[in-house]
Structures are given as C-alpha cells and as structure tokens.
Amino acid sequence: MTRTPVNVTVTGAAGQIGYALLFRIASGHLLGADVPVKLRLLEIPQGLKAAEGTAMELDDCAFPLLRGIDISDDPNVAFDGANVALLVGARPRTKGMERGDLLEANGGIFKPQGAAINAHAADDIKVLVVGNPANTNALIAQAAAPDVPAERFTAMTRLDHNRAVSQLAQKTGTPVSEIRKLTIWGNHSATQYPDIFHAEVAGKNAAEAVGDQAWLADTFIPTVAKRGAAIIEARGASSAASAANAAIDHVHTWVNGTAAGDWTSMGIPSDGSYGVPEGLISSFPVTTKDGKYEIVQGLEINDFSRERIDASVRELSEEREAVRGLGLL
Ligand SMILES: NC(=O)c1ccc[n+]([C@@H]2O[C@H](COP(=O)([O-])OP(=O)(O)OC[C@H]3O[C@@H](n4cnc5c(N)ncnc54)[C@H](O)[C@@H]3O)[C@@H](O)[C@H]2O)c1
Ligand SMILES: O=C(O)C[C@H](O)C(=O)O
C-alpha cells in the first residue's frame, strides 16, 4: 500500500541550516526510509529566489521519497496541512551578540507563524523551533496557537546534547555509541547545564568514569555551553550542518522513539517537574514512544546540578517576562 506523504514545513528554507536540512529530509532521514514527504518551504520575499534554486537542486536529486515541493512567503499557505513544522527562519546571532539581543528581532516572526499553525496545520502537527532564542521563540509560537496541544511545541537542545556526548566520548576514549543518558537542562544558551551525573559510559556512571570534577566544571560544561559561540568565531557563521543534523535527530527520535536504556534532551513545556516553573519551555531528559515524549522522573539532583539548573531556568523566566513586556505572549 502506498503511504500518504507527510507534509513537512520548513521556514528559513533558503538559509544555511535549510540548505543542510532539506536534502536529508527528502532522502528519508527525518521520518524513516519508507515515509514519503512533501516539502513546504517558507521564506521571506527576498529569500524566495534562493529557495527556488534549492528546490531545483532537490528535484535534481530524484529522491524517491520526495512527493512535491511548494514554496511560499505566506505562513498561512506554508503551514496548511503541515504534520511537522521546523521553524528555522530567524535572524542568526552574529559575533559579540548574546541570544537575548535577538528576542525582539525574532519575536515578531514567531507570533504570526504560531497563529498560522493554529489556523491551518494538521491535527497531529509537531513543531520544532530551531531559530534562536529557540526556547522562548517556541513559547511565543505556542502562545499564539491556543487550539494546538501545548506539548506539540518543542525547542532544539539536541545539538547541545550531541555536543556533550561527543566531548564526553573524547574525554573517556569511548565511542559515541557507548554514551547514554546524558541530559541538557534549561535554555539553549550559555547558561544551559549539560549533566553527566546520570550518564553512562560503556555502562558505568559517567561522572565516576571521568573522576575529574575540575574538568567537569572548568572544561566540559563551558565547552558545551559556549560551543555555538566558538563555531561562530571559527567559521564566521553559526553552526549549520550540525544544527541541521540535530533537527533531524530531534524529530526522528520524537516520532520513532528512544532506544531502550537511553534518553535524549528536548526543550519542552515544563509540567513543573524538577522545580522548573510550569509552562516554561526548558530542556529535560525525555524518553519517547509512539510519537509522544515523557520526562524521565525520579533523578536525584545534587547541589552542583541544582544550582546550574536553577540559573538556566531563571534566565528562561526572565526571557518570558521580557517577551510578555513586548506583548508577544
Ligand atoms: N537551536 C539550535 O541549536 C541552533 C543551532 C544553530 C543555529 N540556530 C539558529 O537557527 C536560525 C537559522 O540559522 P541559519 O544559519 O540557517 O540562518 P540564515 O540567516 O542562513 O538563514 C535564515 C533564513 O531565514 C529566513 N527568514 C527570516 N525571517 C523569516 C520568516 N519570517 N519566515 C521565513 N523565513 C525567514 C531568511 O531569509 C534566511 O534565508 C538562527 O536563529 C540560528 O541562531 C539554532
Ligand atoms: O550559538 C548560536 O548562536 C548558534 C546556535 O544556537 C548554536 O548553538 O550553534
């Protein structure tokens, strides 16, 4: 039986991340090797021509799973019937800029997009916000979509998760495939907290395997938390291929499930777990199954972790207040 194609809307399709992302969606990495997709690309008017060029290249790949590409500068058209929405289009951070500086510039983009999702997306819509500041942009879009279940709006911390896995693998001389149960808590920003106290390296507790508190506090955490800025400094542009890869991982895991004995990190609306105020879109350890996620419960949080989780969550609360003040919530 031929499966109905899944409509995947990508905003900012002509940008750097878009260019790295679209080809992988079309080749089956987002949803699975047997799932046909239709791409709906949203750009601003100045980006339409470049999006058309990318669409020509997508055609030229003759991807068997790609069943159509529509391009629009109207969110009401681009989100019509969307099953998955990847909100990438935003203004990227440039050298010396903190993510907070972007709140006002990008807030205006996510409110109308949330409203268009509310009015036109399919009932099973799943939204991933990549554009920064991702957690608070997701909150803005969610607030503008009162008819969509709040938990369908998520923000990307999978890139941070993958960065942390890689750093830990390198430190312990272990393959990435042997690292499990790592957690990113809080905001996708320099305050995020990559937590290895419950992680495992080849089945052993990661903090014990590392056995080096100074490395954890002074090297690992800052390296992961400031990796985005380090990439901007080195490349002169923000991370693109690794961000696209993380977006693929986030949605693939959400739809297809986490492996037994492991979890992942997602920015999701808090239900109050671990003392994170309800409603903030904060990163948590989650397991996924049948297209739904659940926060991993019952983890013991030591003082070192508590302090860092609280600091990042405080920043999220401040961002929420700031966008409230701007009338975006
Ligand atoms: N969450 C993460 O881990 C993570 C990682 C890397 C980058 N990012 C963020 O992703 C975003 C995109 O990065 P990029 O490198 O692709 O930037 P880019 O500037 O190359 O591309 C952004 C694209 O978005 C388009 N755009 C702007 N406003 C739009 C709107 N209202 N509707 C549709 N399209 C719109 C632009 O025309 C442009 O083509 C940035 O905010 C960046 O900071 C997030
Ligand atoms: O840090 C940035 O501004 C880009 C992105 O969010 C990243 O983490 O690479």
Side-chain angles (χ1 to χ4, degrees):
M1 202 179 78
T2 319
R3 281 188 67 162
T4 312
V6 176
N7 290 322
V8 180
T9 300
V10 179
T11 77
Q16 291 200 87
I17 295 177
Y19 195 71
L21 182 62
L22 292 169
F23 296 85
R24 294 193 60 198
I25 299 173
S27 60
H29 289 99
L30 187 77
L31 298 169
D34 55 348
V35 185
V37 291
K38 275 193 179 168
L39 284 170
R40 325 288 304 273
L41 313 186
L42 180 68
E43 258 296 343
I44 50 175
Q46 308 88 288
L48 286 177
K49 189 146 186 273
E52 278 159 20
T54 305
M56 288 161 69
E57 283 203 70
L58 283 161
D59 282 340
D60 294 349
C61 294
F63 287 120
L65 292 172
L66 183 57
R67 299 295 154 80
I69 311 170
D70 296 319
I71 305 172
S72 179
D73 60 2
D74 180 351
N76 295 309
V77 174
F79 290 113
D80 191 28
N83 305 106
V84 176
L86 303 174
L87 309 191
V88 179
R91 176 154 167 232
R93 182 156 71 115
T94 41
K95 263 191 191 181
M97 226 173 153
E98 278 308 314
R99 288 187 185 84
D101 301 336
L102 295 177
L103 277 177
E104 189 161 9
N106 283 324
I109 295 176
F110 290 87
K111 192 171 175 176
Q113 290 185 358
I117 288 169
N118 197 54
H120 303 287
D123 286 347
D124 65 348
I125 180 72
K126 287 182 165 60
V127 182
L128 168 63
V129 176
V130 175
N132 279 321
N135 301 55
T136 298
N137 287 340
L139 192 64
I140 293 166
Q142 182 210 71
D147 304 328
V148 177
E151 72 270 12
R152 305 286 187 77
F153 284 84
T154 66
M156 190 164 94
T157 53
R158 185 63 174 264
L159 178 53
D160 311 297
H161 181 99
N162 289 347
R163 287 166 171 164
V165 166
S166 184
Q167 292 298 320
L168 184 57
Q170 285 174 32
K171 169 73 177 170
T172 54
T174 317
V176 159
S177 55
E178 293 289 338
I179 309 284
R180 305 226 194 295
K181 298 185 177 173
L182 197 139
T183 305
I184 303 294
W185 298 92
N187 199 2
H188 172 66
S189 78
T191 67
Q192 68 178 265
Y193 173 50
D195 177 0
I196 67 165
F197 286 103
H198 305 98
E200 293 170 5
V201 176
K204 297 201 181 73
N205 179 271
E208 284 165 23
V210 168
D212 184 347
Q213 184 73 14
W215 174 81
L216 178 62
D218 304 333
T219 304
F220 173 73
I221 295 173
T223 299
V224 174
K226 295 183 185 161
R227 187 71 161 185
I231 302 275
I232 291 169
E233 186 62 37
R235 252 173 49 86
S238 65
S239 50
S242 56
N245 179 66
I248 296 275
D249 284 351
H250 177 113
V251 174
H252 190 274
T253 304
W254 188 357
V255 172
N256 294 300
T258 38
D262 201 3
W263 64 61
T264 190
S265 306
M266 287 171 71
I268 56 170
S270 175
D271 62 359
S273 293
Y274 296 103
V276 180
E278 215 175 319
L280 284 181
I281 297 195
S282 186
S283 189
F284 285 96
V286 299
T287 54
T288 59
K289 194 172 175 233
D290 300 330
K292 296 200 164 73
Y293 57 78
E294 268 180 32
I295 297 175
V296 176
Q297 295 294 344
L299 300 177
E300 208 173 294
I301 306 295
N302 62 23
D303 291 347
F304 182 90
S305 298
R306 187 74 262 166
E307 197 184 309
R308 284 161 178 80
I309 295 170
D310 287 350
S312 195
V313 167
R314 208 161 35 243
E315 182 184 53
L316 283 171
S317 295
E318 286 163 11
E319 288 185 13
R320 179 162 69 178
E321 283 317 301
V323 294
R324 263 201 194 123
L326 293 166
L328 292 165
L329 291 187

